[in-house]
Amino acid sequence: MAYVQNKRDQPWLIRTYSGHSSAKASNTLYRTNLAKGQTGLSVAFDLPTQTGYDADSPLAKGEVGKVGVPISHIEDMDQLFDQIPLDQMNTSMTINATAAWLLSLYIALAQRRGIDPGKLNGTTQNDIIKEYLSRGTYIYPPGPSMRLIADTINYTVKHVPKWNPTNVCSYHLQEAGATPVQELAYALCTAMAVLDRVKASGEIGAADFPQVVERISFFVNAGIRFVEECCKMRAFAEMWDQLTLSRYQVNDPKMRRFRYGVQVNSLGLTEAQPENNVQRIVLEMLAVVLSKRARARAIQLPAWNEAMGLPRPWDQQWALRIQQVMAFETDLLEYGDLLDGSPVVAAKVAELIDGARREIANVEAQGGIIAAIESGYIKRELVQSHMNRLRAIEAGDLQIIGVNCFRETAESPLTQGSDGGIMKTDPAAEREQIERLQAHRRQRNDHEVQAALQGLVDVAKSSDNIMPASIRCALAGVTTGEWGDTLRGVFGEFRPPTGIDIAIDSRELLGKKDQVAQLRENVASTGNSLGRPLKLLVGKPGLDGHSNGAEQVAVKARDVGFEVVYDGIRLTPQQIAQAAQEEGVHVVGLSILSGSHLELVEAVLAEMRARDLAEVPVIAGGIIPKEDADRLTALGVRAVYTPKDFSLNAIMADIINVVRDSHGLARLPTPQ
Amino acid sequence: MSPVRLPDPEQLAERIRRGERAAVASGLNLLDNKLDEARQGAARLLAALAGEHGLSAGHLIGITGPPGAGKSSLLAAMIRKWRQSERTVGVLAVDPSSRPEAGGGALLGDRIRIKNTAHDEGLFIRSLANRSQLGGVASEVWPMSWLMLACFDIVVIETVGVGQTEIDIAEIGDTVCYVAQPASGDTIQYLKSGIIEIPDIFAVNKADLGAPARKTAGELTRASSRQDRRADWDYPVCLVSANDHSGIQPLLAHVDRHRRFLIDGGLFDELRARHQRAWVVRLLKDEFGTFGLGLLGGAAGVDAWLQARPSNQFAGYVQLRKHILSKFLSANHQSSLTTKEHVNEQAIV
């Protein structure tokens, strides 16, 4: 066989989602990754930056530099892109509620470096809908939030034409439980809501509107059912082509292309036998590159150890090399579409399109996606789908290797190192960021800052585009928290419409009937021994908005007979302790996925001690490494649950016993 | 040994009157507790809180209305104003979502909608599941609201209106406020049901919707003007919006005006005493059933006995409980009890 290669297609943009500790540390990581052959950057911001708080805000405690890089002002942005030429880089920013702000900092930095913003290339995620439904880093109510998105689109189409101002995300819908049909339907409904909003703003005339449509890109998830996922991507491309033609009269087929980036599924990655995640990631990736006609434009792969904690540089390199092997070693890019003409694929695509069309019509009949979010409809549908999935895992109908089957394993050499196979963030990062921020505040021109912020207020109250005033703020040295707070003052803050009053038919969702009946009996008899029904507080301290886990536990606990107090996301340790006291709960469950579990749990325990609640047991759940779990236990936490504890029934049995232990009652056996 | 450490009721009452939050929480736990020794402690706690003078302080407000009317958001806006004028607020948020047939669990998610600011020591929220009550308000609500009155300026009971709830809430609150949802069939149903006789104040929420809200307000005004419960009260109908905060101040003015109306007319103490008597009967019936109540001459007998001792109904409740228990015991053991344990039977029958 000769080594003559056929003409190859260009590969997708190869990225790794990364950022941590500080702008300086992240810059070093980025330059290392670029030297290893990464072709674009994907910036992960920390939660204070994503939710519009400065590093020294009380809500930011413990969260600075944890899930991403803290960017508080233009000097941070400058340091993040030190020695990286902005006009030659393709930068993706996972930023939503504060997207207009981070984009302003990026544009302002380009201006300061003498680079024409028209040459900037990249993406802001900028999709607020899925924040309300799943990811939780929203700030403002839907009206002003959609206006901010429309403003960034209107601005970039005119001034930064190569920028992708919004990435409509079906990714997080899948993480929240969406089926492929729901992913298709809700993502397309979101895109329609965004386009309709831009159209209504009237900033761009009808003749130029196709350029707006062309700039809409998507961010999609790929799970392990790779045939179905492959068909889902083809269905997306087909539906987008039709929808942009019929609804927005885009006549040029090139402008109707479904352009999307991918991060493969993190939800399905397991903490048990974590090396198996590598083959999962490869197969999931295959689904989005296999079809030439619906191939991803940009891909970032998670690391094999994501379910255990933060990946190290070596873990990220492994993820990068997977992409490179697929793009450069295999012959995939030498061929046309492999699946054209397959009757199996065509039938599956048609089935998905049919289902998605019906669900879109259903949402449209309710007044569109925003109305359907405000009514709680979509959240209920997603929670229902997610519960179905969990039930299937518990019942063994959905097999997950190493989790609910084939669990025997040899010791893994990958997790034996002194670091436990994960990255440790620098505990000094938060303090250093705060010092840097306070020094920055002292150095800037206060008069300019105040004038720029007043300009921002005036524009926010008008219907003018928010971007020029935000860029002026960025240049004046305004901070992320000041920008966020100023708009909070004008727009107000979003409050979830219904908490989680999720109307789920328990009979259908409970899984093993006998176990549930036994659990109910255990809850009731323990309540009788204590004189009142068992009451559980489910709390999410810190800024992490991934509420699905907490909600699953809350719903399950309700179903086995607990009275469950759930206060939603973004609570301070003080608020959680106060709620525990006012509500008189028997046990407090904390859910933390941002990696700040040590700081936050310790703070909650301290607040509870200060309120005479030392005897109320606290349990914690999240992505918590073994070593940290041991430290939490030493601090007084009674139980720690991690992704390997997939059985909600087993968790419930354990929580009941935690309560019994704390009152000197004998433990009850776990129902089988 | 009991798995629950029970506090000393009289000491606890002292701390509650001083406004100690830990004591308030602990008192609410005690009132919620169904262990025998806890019931005894709960009755003593209530008696100690009421003291010799009864509880005539504070303002107990019931807020009710159909699901989706925006009660919690409206309450949040009201609380913001009350707190601005430095009045302390206790809230009992009663959630209707529990289902006894499905294990009795409940998701209590109201705090998130009621809370305004990050941290406020002048606001205390307790969520309550409705437990096994078929419609109506859980029997724990009543004693809990009285406990809160001992230490907060304003106590609000928030419930979802489903018929019996409004009737119950009218037997607790000094002032009942009905929150109506514009342009929904609920208001019409409400008008038809006759429950319109109950609220003292009507608040049509979502006034920012404009015409539909004004239409609903018009319907309620026409219907409420036909009420004759208290001829000299005007049953105001307010247009309010939790969204843009319009109409909140006038609504609060009506709420305050209603309390003054009751006091000026000499109705306030009488109303509270009547409510207390009704709930003593209900609590006794909950605990001992119709048979137990029959031992005291039935509801009418208890009511008459309490009317003769208006100073502290809770102390009366302690006595009546003891009396029924002693009757049960003597029925079982054929033994007589010390006279100290007895209530004056002549007065009851």
Side-chain angles (χ1 to χ4, degrees):
Chain A
M1 193 170 89
Y3 288 101
V4 179
Q5 287 192 346
N6 298 323
K7 187 177 169 297
R8 297 175 68 90
D9 291 325
Q10 272 288 105
W12 48 91
L13 270 171
I14 297 176
R15 292 177 172 137
T16 312
Y17 181 54
S18 52
H20 67 89
S21 301
S22 68
K24 194 170 178 199
S26 301
N27 173 264
T28 307
L29 178 64
Y30 293 170
R31 286 193 283 129
T32 313
N33 285 348
L34 289 168
K36 286 177 181 167
Q38 195 172 293
T39 56
L41 290 175
S42 173
V43 182
F45 294 100
D46 73 354
L47 288 167
T49 306
Q50 293 187 48
T51 49
Y53 293 105
D54 280 334
D56 54 359
S57 156
L59 266 170
K61 191 169 166 44
E63 302 278 19
V64 177
K66 279 282 163 34
V67 301
V69 58
I71 297 294
S72 302
H73 46 80
I74 191 167
E75 305 310 333
D76 286 345
M77 196 59 120
D78 191 33
Q79 201 170 50
L80 185 64
F81 290 96
D82 182 37
Q83 299 173 60
I84 296 173
L86 295 185
D87 48 349
Q88 292 163 42
M89 188 42 57
N90 191 311
T91 305
S92 170
M93 303 188 209
T94 299
I95 196 74
N96 294 281
T98 53
W101 172 241
L102 272 299
L103 179 59
S104 295
L105 285 171
Y106 197 70
I107 292 171
L109 179 64
Q111 287 178 2
R112 215 170 71 169
R113 289 186 182 179
I115 294 165
D116 173 10
K119 291 192 175 147
L120 296 178
N121 224 315
T123 304
T124 34
Q125 191 165 81
N126 207 12
D127 170 13
I128 203 69
I129 304 266
K130 59 92 172 56
E131 299 296 332
Y132 296 139
L133 290 172
S134 161
R135 201 164 163 274
T137 68
Y138 49 75
I139 304 176
Y140 312 110
S145 294
M146 292 300 282
R147 176 244 172 123
L148 290 178
I149 293 170
D151 282 356
T152 52
I153 294 172
N154 280 321
Y155 186 85
T156 53
V157 165
K158 283 184 217 154
H159 304 287
V160 198
K162 288 194 281 182
W163 198 262
N164 299 303
T166 179
N167 237 201
V168 175
C169 295
S170 76
Y171 180 89
H172 312 82
L173 302 178
Q174 187 182 104
E175 300 266 299
T179 62
V181 163
Q182 288 172 326
E183 258 189 88
L184 285 162
Y186 301 151
L188 293 173
C189 284
T190 301
M192 284 189 274
V194 169
L195 284 171
D196 291 352
R197 182 68 180 71
V198 174
K199 207 169 185 179
S201 78
E203 266 196 61
I204 290 172
D208 293 331
F209 201 73
Q211 288 172 34
V212 175
V213 176
E214 191 199 12
R215 292 324 302 165
I216 303 294
S217 54
F218 291 77
F219 185 58
V220 185
N221 202 332
I224 194 68
R225 292 174 56 81
F226 83 96
V227 176
E228 191 176 43
E229 293 293 60
C230 193
C231 294
K232 179 182 82 185
M233 300 309 167
R234 296 171 79 90
F236 254 132
E238 208 171 312
M239 293 183 80
W240 185 242
D241 183 71
Q242 290 163 5
L243 190 140
T244 49
L245 180 64
S246 62
R247 192 175 171 111
Y248 301 106
Q249 292 81 46
V250 179
N251 293 316
D252 181 352
K254 276 190 202 153
M255 294 178 133
R256 302 200 302 263
R257 275 188 199 150
F258 181 74
R259 299 183 307 120
Y260 72 102
V262 167
Q263 155 108 9
V264 304
N265 190 303
S266 292
L267 180 70
L269 301 184
T270 63
E271 185 188 359
Q273 302 178 31
E275 63 280 1
N276 294 336
N277 292 327
V278 174
Q279 50 268 32
R280 292 190 180 104
I281 291 165
V282 172
L283 290 168
E284 288 167 353
M285 179 184 182
L286 195 58
V288 299
V289 294
L290 200 55
S291 309
K292 182 173 178 177
R293 68 165 59 251
R295 185 170 289 151
R297 298 294 180 107
I299 295 177
Q300 51 196 36
L301 297 182
W304 66 281
N305 54 353
E306 273 214 0
M308 298 160 54
L310 206 60
R312 302 158 298 185
W314 177 77
D315 306 313
Q316 291 207 332
Q317 175 188 309
W318 194 356
L320 171 65
R321 297 291 185 242
I322 292 173
Q323 293 206 53
Q324 290 168 328
V325 168
M326 186 79 85
F328 305 123
E329 281 190 32
T330 76
D331 54 354
L332 179 74
L333 296 176
E334 297 171 24
Y335 296 93
D337 193 285
L338 301 175
L339 300 171
D340 271 357
S342 157
V344 176
V345 169
K348 183 68 191 174
V349 171
E351 177 200 318
L352 291 172
I353 290 179
D354 188 49
R357 285 217 177 106
R358 265 183 279 137
E359 187 55 16
I360 289 172
N362 181 14
V363 172
E364 293 282 284
Q366 297 179 44
I369 188 110
I370 291 182
I373 285 172
E374 287 178 334
S375 72
Y377 166 77
I378 292 186
K379 184 81 190 178
R380 275 196 300 278
E381 292 295 303
L382 292 179
V383 171
Q384 177 114 28
S385 296
H386 202 174
M387 286 302 269
N388 287 343
R389 183 186 135 81
L390 290 182
R391 184 186 50 159
I393 294 173
E394 275 201 67
D397 297 339
L398 196 76
Q399 289 193 302
I400 300 182
I401 309 306
V403 173
N404 63 356
C405 58
F406 306 113
R407 294 167 64 168
E408 60 287 344
T409 179
E411 286 271 303
S412 163
L414 283 176
T415 53
Q416 294 307 304
S418 60
D419 58 5
I422 50 163
M423 168 104 170
K424 298 281 191 304
T425 51
D426 179 4
E430 181 161 320
R431 186 172 38 81
E432 284 166 18
Q433 179 66 14
I434 290 172
E435 283 165 9
R436 199 175 137 78
L437 170 70
Q438 291 172 346
H440 168 80
R441 286 203 196 107
R442 283 192 297 273
Q443 280 157 16
R444 62 190 184 169
N445 180 328
D446 274 338
H447 180 71
E448 274 177 34
V449 168
Q450 290 313 319
L453 285 173
Q454 186 55 50
L456 183 66
V457 170
D458 295 342
V459 169
K461 286 179 175 165
S462 76
S463 59
D464 293 346
N465 196 304
I466 204 85
M467 288 297 294
S470 298
I471 293 168
R472 188 181 158 204
C473 285
L475 288 167
V478 163
T479 66
T480 299
E482 289 164 346
W483 187 88
D485 283 345
T486 300
L487 295 189
R488 276 184 188 92
V490 180
F491 297 151
E493 285 186 72
F494 177 72
R495 289 208 288 207
T498 49
I500 47 161
D501 44 1
I502 299 157
I504 296 178
D505 185 343
S506 303
R507 279 162 302 181
E508 193 191 321
L509 289 167
L510 283 168
K512 290 189 181 171
K513 280 249 183 318
D514 297 348
Q515 277 186 9
V516 168
Q518 186 61 52
L519 285 169
R520 283 181 177 170
E521 210 174 297
N522 291 357
V523 169
S525 69
T526 307
N528 286 339
S529 301
L530 301 180
R532 58 195 179 100
L534 291 195
K535 205 168 180 183
L536 161 73
L537 174 73
V538 177
K540 277 200 69 64
L543 292 171
D544 164 40
H546 292 86
S547 56
N548 299 324
E551 287 165 10
Q552 302 306 334
V553 168
V555 170
K556 184 72 185 191
R558 189 271 312 261
D559 285 346
V560 300
F562 280 89
E563 293 184 354
V564 182
V565 180
Y566 177 63
D567 267 3
I569 62 169
R570 262 183 245 174
L571 300 171
T572 61
Q574 192 183 35
Q575 285 174 313
I576 288 174
Q578 188 177 353
Q581 181 178 59
E582 292 179 9
E583 296 293 352
V585 296
H586 292 102
V587 51
V588 174
L590 302 174
S591 163
I592 308 164
L593 283 91
S594 65
S596 35
H597 39 262
L598 288 175
E599 294 91 334
L600 289 170
V601 171
E602 197 168 1
V604 170
L605 290 171
E607 288 286 346
M608 288 182 64
R609 278 193 302 272
R611 287 170 184 270
D612 277 348
L613 296 174
E615 284 170 23
V616 176
V618 173
I619 56 175
I623 298 178
I624 299 173
K626 171 84 175 64
E627 189 191 326
D628 289 359
D630 293 344
R631 287 180 62 185
L632 290 176
T633 311
L635 286 171
V637 171
R638 307 296 172 90
V640 176
Y641 307 103
T642 67
K644 73 174 189 306
D645 300 300
F646 67 93
S647 166
L648 284 172
N649 281 347
I651 292 176
M652 290 302 133
D654 199 52
I655 295 177
I656 295 165
N657 278 329
V658 164
V659 174
R660 295 184 69 87
D661 286 345
S662 71
H663 287 92
L665 296 168
R667 293 177 79 91
L668 296 170
T670 300
Q672 295 302 320
Chain B
M1 200 195 87
S2 166
V4 183
R5 250 196 3 233
L6 295 170
D8 176 80
E10 285 74 23
Q11 281 176 16
L12 192 62
E14 273 305 305
R15 294 174 55 210
I16 290 170
R17 269 201 291 264
R18 286 199 299 268
E20 282 183 36
R21 298 176 76 85
V24 176
S26 164
L28 293 173
N29 294 348
L30 180 62
L31 295 183
D32 200 13
N33 202 307
K34 300 294 179 292
L35 296 178
D36 281 343
E37 60 270 36
R39 282 180 186 272
Q40 176 67 21
R44 274 169 56 195
L45 173 65
L46 288 169
L49 283 172
E52 281 310 301
H53 311 290
L55 279 173
S56 57
H59 193 179
L60 186 51
I61 300 161
I63 293 188
T64 184
K71 291 179 296 299
S72 303
S73 310
L74 178 61
L75 179 54
M78 294 167 78
I79 289 170
R80 193 172 302 132
K81 293 273 184 215
W82 279 323
R83 295 295 300 129
Q84 278 166 10
S85 56
E86 311 224 326
R87 293 159 91 178
T88 56
V89 183
V91 177
L92 286 169
V94 184
D95 198 291
S97 69
S98 66
R99 294 158 309 155
E101 76 283 4
L107 271 176
L108 309 169
D110 257 356
R111 300 178 61 85
I112 186 173
R113 279 173 281 173
I114 296 171
K115 281 191 90 73
N116 290 310
T117 52
H119 183 71
D120 181 359
E121 293 286 341
L123 172 63
F124 191 111
I125 303 170
R126 177 79 152 211
S127 319
L128 266 179
N130 220 12
R131 312 254 169 96
S132 55
Q133 308 285 330
L134 292 170
V137 175
S139 52
E140 295 81 11
V141 170
W142 178 75
M144 286 185 175
S145 61
W146 279 93
L147 184 152
M148 284 188 160
L149 273 180
C151 52
F152 297 110
D153 298 330
I154 287 166
V155 176
V156 178
I157 304 164
E158 188 212 357
T159 60
V160 174
V162 276
Q164 184 59 38
T165 309
E166 277 108 338
I167 294 167
D168 281 357
I169 212 79
E171 283 184 4
I172 303 178
D174 307 326
T175 301
V176 177
C177 176
Y178 177 84
V179 183
Q181 155 105 310
S184 86
D186 295 318
T187 307
I188 308 300
Q189 287 306 316
Y190 186 74
L191 294 173
K192 283 183 187 164
S193 70
I195 301 168
I196 192 164
E197 304 297 328
I198 285 164
D200 305 296
I201 296 167
F202 298 85
V204 179
N205 201 5
K206 307 182 187 177
D208 45 320
L209 291 177
R214 287 194 297 274
K215 182 166 177 285
T216 300
E219 288 164 359
L220 283 170
T221 306
R222 282 190 293 282
S224 70
S225 64
R226 290 198 295 271
Q227 293 192 97
D228 56 4
R229 189 151 55 116
R230 284 189 198 106
D232 38 0
W233 176 246
D234 56 2
Y235 299 92
V237 178
C238 317
L239 278 165
V240 297
S241 168
N243 286 333
D244 61 17
H245 293 198
S246 63
I248 306 295
Q249 198 69 59
L251 170 62
L252 296 191
H254 286 305
V255 169
D256 285 346
R257 188 169 62 85
H258 184 253
R259 183 172 187 275
R260 271 202 314 279
F261 162 81
L262 292 173
I263 289 172
D264 293 349
L267 302 164
F268 191 74
D269 290 348
E270 181 200 312
L271 184 77
R272 284 200 168 175
R274 196 173 73 227
H275 289 169
Q276 289 184 6
R277 291 199 301 275
W279 279 88
V280 168
V281 170
R282 181 167 164 179
L283 288 184
L284 291 171
K285 196 173 169 187
D286 273 359
E287 192 177 357
F288 303 106
T290 314
F291 175 74
L293 209 57
L295 295 173
L296 302 176
V302 172
D303 194 73
W305 187 84
L306 288 167
Q307 277 209 52
R309 290 159 187 75
S311 71
N312 188 338
Q313 306 287 15
F314 297 105
Y317 170 54
V318 176
Q319 275 192 300
L320 289 167
R321 260 193 99 248
K322 279 188 185 169
H323 185 63
I324 298 182
L325 283 170
S326 72
K327 286 257 187 181
F328 274 127
L329 282 177
S330 62
N332 286 339
H333 303 292
Q334 302 291 317
S335 66
S336 68
L337 292 150
T338 63
T339 45
K340 204 176 78 185
E341 294 284 313
H342 280 262
V343 190
N344 184 341
E345 287 182 45
Q346 300 306 316
I348 294 174
V349 186

